[in-house]
Amino acid sequence: AASDVYKRQDILRPEAFYNEKNLEIYATLQSMYRNGQKIDIITVKEELARRGKLEFIGGPYTLAHISGV
């Protein structure tokens, strides 16, 4: 996941997302990548929760579903 964020961060901005939930997830991934944080489903869930956005995006189930877990 981290390498995918790296490859796309120059061309894909959070504002490009129509769906605000996807925007929030992508913005979180970008921020984590820029800060050198490990990116996996657990750390993303924790970061979304820390930001108060986990329930906004649909909770852990939605995050697992879109990540293919």
Side-chain angles (χ1 to χ4, degrees):
S3 63
D4 292 338
V5 172
Y6 174 74
K7 291 175 188 174
R8 291 170 179 81
Q9 71 177 344
D10 290 335
I11 57 173
L12 186 60
R13 301 280 181 216
E15 306 81 40
F17 289 92
Y18 175 76
N19 182 308
E20 290 187 27
K21 294 175 182 181
N22 293 338
L23 180 153
E24 189 60 49
I25 294 167
Y26 186 73
T28 299
L29 290 171
Q30 270 194 322
S31 175
M32 291 175 70
Y33 179 79
R34 280 194 304 268
N35 292 326
Q37 294 175 269
K38 180 180 176 184
I39 296 176
D40 61 37
I41 193 162
I42 302 299
T43 58
V44 173
K45 180 187 81 64
E46 290 171 350
E47 182 63 16
L48 285 164
R50 188 188 72 73
R51 293 172 172 227
K53 297 292 185 174
L54 183 59
E55 294 309 313
F56 171 77
I57 62 101
Y61 174 80
T62 297
L63 191 59
H65 178 74
I66 65 171
S67 71
V69 174

